[in-house]
Amino acid sequence: MLEGMPSPWDLHLHRAAGRVVVLVGPTVVAEYGETDLAMRNMTIVTLRRLGFPGGRVAEVFGLTPTYVSRLNTAAKRRGAAALAGHDGPGRPRSRGADQWELARQWREQGGSDLEIGRRLGVAGTTVARRLAARPAAAETGAGPRQGDLQFAQPGPELAPEQPELGLHADPEQEQEPADGAVLAAELGPGGPAGAARDGAGGGPPSPPPGPGGPRLSGGVYWSRYAGAMLLHAFTARTGAGQVLESAADAGRPAGRSWRFGDVALLSVTGMCFALGAATVEQVKHLTASCAGPLAGLAVLPHLRTLRPALAAIADACDPLALQEMAARAMLAADPVTSGVYYIDDHFVPYAGVKPVAKGWNNKRGKAERGRADTHVTAHDGRAVCFVTGEPSGLTATLPKALAELKKAAPPGAAIMVGFDRGGAYAQVFRHCRAQDVHWVTYRRAPLAVPAGLPVITTITAGGRTRQVTWAEEKVQLKDYGEARQLTLFEHGQVALQILTSDFDACPAEILAWLKSRWREENFLKYASENYGIDKICDYIAGIETNTKIIDNPARKKANAAVREAEKALAAAERDLAVLLSDPAITPAAKNTRLIPAANKKITAARRKLDAAAAARDKIPAKLPANVIDPEAQVALLRAGRRSLQMVLRLHAHNAEHWLANHLNAYLQDDDEYRAITRETIIRGLAGVITYTPQAITVELQQPGAPRIARALALLTEEINADPPAMPGDTRPITYRLTAQQPGSNT
């Protein structure tokens, strides 16, 4: 705003005797009749042109920012006439029952939904949903009946005109929803049935009825993502609801509630990650009316709601504390009996323009700007915790990750950490010993010659027996002390050597534990592909003075001078050797003139080398970057917002992991059970979700493959034995499979 303009927070209005008075501080800006919509619209546009934010104007007038923006745009394009004829937001009238009956006849005659949609002037997915539902109320013209299948937030061609609920509306004259209708809860001004899709205005905001925000209390919803509702079984068993409630409570400003319940918002964001949205931006590609009911919302919040709400929650809460709480609850519900955890780094590239520190990107084989995450994975493949920061190395990040692991692990539980050669240094071993934690890793090259004779042992792994040849001995590690070394032989040759601090465990178990470290690699690979753990969720960074210790250019220059002096001395000594061995030169010439000159040259070269070495030794090898360059700066990416999303991503990964393992108990397909769970069930299984005040029922499609359908039926019976509940809700969720395929082809 221009200097001298009034503060936007001084804008307010009063209503009295059918009149509306708009004021900026004590100054009256406009006065009009409560039913004079044209004057109201002109006042709104005038305030926007004076510089008042659209959000503030919408809040004062009880409208939505979307509708205020539409008024302003209409005035710019068509002038005041557009405002006079713009009497309120609404939608086109719905297609009549006769048109949908005709569409149903076309469907029975073999017409595709896309072709039917072209004939009716609607989207093909709308035709599929409408004809799959077959609501009797729409066919007869009567109101909806109990049990009718309806949809939250249908397309514009199905929604009736809605009157604007502005300042002129009488709340007492609003119609109550009919019995059995889908309750698209209004969560503040412009709720899911309003600004989230069409910009319709709403009444004044009301506080949510509970800490978790308002939820769907009733209704029947068809969802193409209904299979993701099975993830609530893991959520309920690990206490994730309490974690999300803790984040929501920390992120809610005093005296203010979000348009969508914070717990529901976090829950639905995690569901979107499970459905394949790698970033928050990709959430817009999901069908809003199908994703929202997965977390108890009528529709998925719009990006304009989702992004700022997630940012506000992340800025107010402590994501690391949430991670610790979630990991502790998960490990308490399903402990890691082996006590083995794996730690590894994961580089996340940064594509912005800020001066972010560089690290080594293994995927591209070169140094790039970015950050590094250090993930801790349980022996069975579950993600436990992570730390994030500037790229460094496993030797620097492992102690931090170990500290987070000890917070999450049950008190007193034995811990063994496994890592690759990147952490095989004495300082890491000493830190683990100081923390009373066992470690196991590969020996860095060159491998030591085994002192003992190899032993052939028969082991059983995965129901199969095989012979393993190994040798065991105790070795002394420099700067650490005594450690246990296992040498594995293959085809008579040393294949690898393992170092560990555990002297009591069975050698075969130690070999199996370190081989299982590939579960960490698989986690990093598939979590990156399916849950976007390598995405930069927020590009906001703080520019600070770079105090990182770096190589001193002056030292490099001095080293170059020493090398040049060494080369000059070596050349002088070679010249003397050539002189002495040259038979063409007489001894008298050598002794009287040439040899003294060569010795003098060597002495001068040696003197220069000593001077260069002495000058180099006075120059420090490393200095802070700001000492070398007073203007050196570095961009530190804010980790809070990304960390909150990472907690939700890792929770989605662990939920899929849990569901896949329980499904495979009946499926018995070790090669494809994870892909089947993720693609066929979580992301590919449609169904109907029924909300009642007492319970939630999920009726899923029958999978096409009989073996998957059988395994899923057994899994739902297992889950129904102890019905779960979604975060922020206490109603039990019951699952069942439908007896026949629905008629939709979506």
Side-chain angles (χ1 to χ4, degrees):
M1 299 178 62
L2 298 177
E3 183 178 357
M5 287 292 297
S7 170
W9 302 110
D10 292 335
L11 178 64
H12 57 284
L13 61 79
H14 295 286
R15 293 188 298 164
R19 308 293 295 180
V20 178
V21 180
V22 183
L23 304 97
V24 177
T27 305
V28 177
V29 177
E31 189 271 341
Y32 55 87
E34 196 171 9
T35 58
D36 191 349
L37 298 182
M39 187 62 187
R40 183 209 62 177
N41 294 343
M42 293 180 66
T43 303
I44 290 173
V45 173
T46 301
L47 292 173
R48 287 291 290 115
R49 293 182 177 180
L50 287 176
F52 289 93
R56 178 58 181 166
V57 174
E59 180 181 354
V60 170
F61 283 83
L63 302 172
T64 65
T66 304
Y67 182 57
V68 170
S69 176
R70 288 181 178 179
L71 285 177
N72 196 26
T73 302
K76 291 179 180 179
R77 293 177 178 177
R78 301 189 300 275
L83 301 179
H86 207 299
D87 58 351
R91 290 178 168 181
R93 294 188 178 275
S94 61
R95 300 296 185 271
D98 54 344
Q99 290 180 303
W100 289 117
E101 181 61 31
L102 183 60
R104 188 168 291 108
Q105 294 177 8
W106 290 336
R107 164 77 79 79
E108 294 174 355
Q109 295 172 4
S112 66
D113 293 340
L114 183 61
E115 179 60 30
I116 296 173
R118 290 173 180 171
R119 297 179 185 179
L120 295 180
V122 299
T125 54
T126 301
V127 175
R129 291 196 302 267
R130 180 72 182 207
L131 299 187
R134 301 184 64 90
E139 298 179 11
T140 61
R145 300 177 302 179
Q146 184 70 27
D148 288 347
L149 177 62
Q150 304 198 14
F151 302 99
Q153 202 62 29
E157 55 276 37
L158 295 181
E161 289 186 343
Q162 299 178 356
E164 180 184 357
L165 302 180
L167 296 175
H168 61 280
D170 186 358
E172 297 180 356
Q173 297 178 358
E174 296 178 17
Q175 297 181 356
E176 296 292 331
D179 294 339
V182 175
L183 301 181
E186 288 287 348
L187 312 177
R197 285 296 175 267
D198 62 351
S206 58
R215 292 276 183 174
L216 292 174
S217 59
V220 184
Y221 295 80
W222 179 86
S223 174
R224 63 191 303 176
Y225 316 123
M229 288 290 289
L230 290 167
L231 298 178
H232 288 304
F234 173 81
T235 300
R237 283 159 173 78
T238 57
Q242 289 77 7
V243 177
L244 300 186
E245 288 176 9
S246 175
D249 290 340
R252 182 181 297 112
R256 181 178 175 185
S257 62
W258 298 111
R259 285 172 49 188
F260 292 89
D262 294 353
V263 176
L265 184 140
L266 292 173
S267 179
V268 79
T269 303
M271 283 291 185
C272 291
F273 290 144
L275 292 174
T279 63
V280 175
E281 184 69 22
Q282 292 182 8
V283 167
K284 64 184 180 182
H285 298 301
L286 300 175
T287 305
S289 60
C290 294
L294 302 180
L297 299 175
V299 291
L300 181 67
H302 194 277
L303 282 176
R304 290 190 296 270
T305 297
L306 193 61
R307 277 194 294 248
L310 286 175
I313 294 174
D315 292 342
C317 70
D318 183 357
L320 288 180
L322 296 179
Q323 173 194 194
E324 175 189 340
M325 188 186 305
R328 186 185 300 116
M330 178 188 66
L331 295 179
D334 190 7
V336 179
T337 55
S338 66
V340 179
Y341 301 86
Y342 306 108
I343 301 179
D344 202 358
D345 280 343
H346 181 68
F347 181 79
V348 183
Y350 171 80
V353 297
K354 297 184 182 296
V356 175
K358 284 189 174 183
W360 186 257
N361 188 349
N362 289 327
K363 295 181 180 178
R364 304 188 65 182
K366 66 177 183 178
E368 292 183 343
R369 290 181 299 172
R371 69 194 315 155
D373 292 339
T374 302
H375 290 270
V376 180
T377 306
H379 182 223
D380 56 6
R382 288 177 293 165
V384 178
C385 58
F386 74 100
V387 293
T388 185
E390 290 188 350
S392 53
L394 195 58
T395 54
T397 59
L398 187 143
K400 302 175 184 178
L402 182 57
E404 295 299 321
L405 172 60
K406 295 195 70 174
K407 294 178 184 178
I415 296 177
M416 171 179 276
V417 294
F419 43 87
D420 57 16
R421 295 175 179 87
Y425 292 92
Q427 65 191 74
V428 175
F429 302 155
R430 292 196 304 268
H431 180 79
C432 292
R433 181 170 58 190
Q435 296 295 319
D436 195 22
V437 170
H438 282 307
W439 53 268
V440 59
T441 185
Y442 299 103
R443 181 162 192 149
R444 300 175 65 86
L447 301 182
V449 178
L453 295 176
V455 177
I456 300 177
T457 304
T458 301
I459 64 173
T460 301
R464 300 177 181 178
T465 60
R466 65 188 183 94
Q467 288 186 339
V468 177
T469 305
W470 53 274
E472 178 181 359
E473 58 188 308
K474 294 181 180 179
V475 296
Q476 289 291 326
L477 301 181
K478 183 181 178 182
D479 299 329
Y480 174 75
E482 191 176 62
R484 185 182 185 184
Q485 177 177 287
L486 298 175
T487 303
L488 180 66
F489 295 86
E490 290 184 357
H491 308 292
Q493 302 292 329
V494 175
L496 59 88
Q497 285 181 332
I498 296 174
L499 296 175
T500 181
S501 62
D502 192 340
F503 292 90
D504 301 324
C506 172
E509 284 187 342
I510 294 178
L511 291 170
W513 289 339
L514 198 56
K515 181 180 179 182
S516 298
R517 195 195 66 80
W518 285 102
R519 292 173 181 169
E520 172 91 7
E521 303 292 341
N522 289 335
F523 156 74
L524 294 175
K525 174 182 177 181
Y526 293 111
S528 175
E529 292 179 358
N530 299 311
Y531 299 103
I533 64 170
D534 58 351
K535 302 296 183 183
I536 293 288
C537 304
D538 192 276
Y539 281 83
I540 298 177
I543 306 299
E544 299 182 4
T545 301
N546 188 2
T547 59
K548 186 176 181 180
I549 303 300
I550 62 174
D551 293 334
N552 188 357
R555 177 79 176 205
K556 293 182 179 180
K557 186 176 180 180
N559 284 331
V562 170
R563 289 192 295 270
E564 291 298 327
E566 290 174 344
K567 292 179 182 178
L569 176 60
E573 292 174 342
R574 286 195 301 270
D575 291 343
L576 177 59
V578 171
L579 172 65
L580 294 175
S581 61
D582 190 349
I585 304 175
T586 63
K590 293 180 180 179
N591 295 330
T592 60
R593 181 172 54 86
L594 297 179
I595 293 178
N599 287 331
K600 185 177 180 180
K601 184 177 180 181
I602 291 174
T603 302
R606 184 173 288 113
R607 189 180 300 114
K608 289 183 179 180
L609 174 61
D610 293 340
R616 179 195 60 183
D617 294 341
K618 296 178 182 179
I619 302 174
K622 294 180 179 292
L623 285 174
N626 62 323
V627 175
I628 298 173
D629 180 8
E631 298 182 356
Q633 292 181 329
V634 64
L636 301 179
L637 295 171
R638 299 180 185 177
R641 299 183 180 181
R642 182 170 180 273
S643 296
L644 177 63
Q645 292 192 28
M646 282 292 293
V647 171
L648 299 177
R649 295 175 195 275
L650 296 182
H651 177 76
H653 173 273
N654 288 338
E656 179 214 307
H657 180 275
W658 181 92
L659 192 65
N661 286 337
H662 282 69
L663 178 71
N664 198 42
Y666 310 108
L667 188 61
Q668 296 296 312
D669 187 347
D670 293 337
D671 294 330
E672 299 294 337
Y673 73 100
R674 290 294 296 269
I676 290 173
T677 303
R678 180 174 57 253
E679 303 299 336
T680 303
I681 297 178
I682 297 177
R683 301 179 182 178
L685 208 58
V688 176
I689 307 172
T690 304
Y691 285 88
T692 66
Q694 293 78 26
I696 302 173
T697 303
V698 181
E699 186 174 0
L700 300 172
Q701 275 186 0
Q702 285 275 359
R707 66 187 185 97
I708 300 178
R710 174 186 172 278
L712 183 58
L714 295 174
L715 176 60
T716 54
E717 291 181 7
E718 175 188 340
I719 297 175
N720 290 337
D722 184 14
M726 66 176 57
D729 203 326
T730 59
R731 289 175 290 182
I733 304 176
T734 304
Y735 305 90
R736 64 171 181 263
L737 297 183
T738 183
Q740 58 183 1
Q741 296 279 356
S744 173
N745 62 353
T746 57

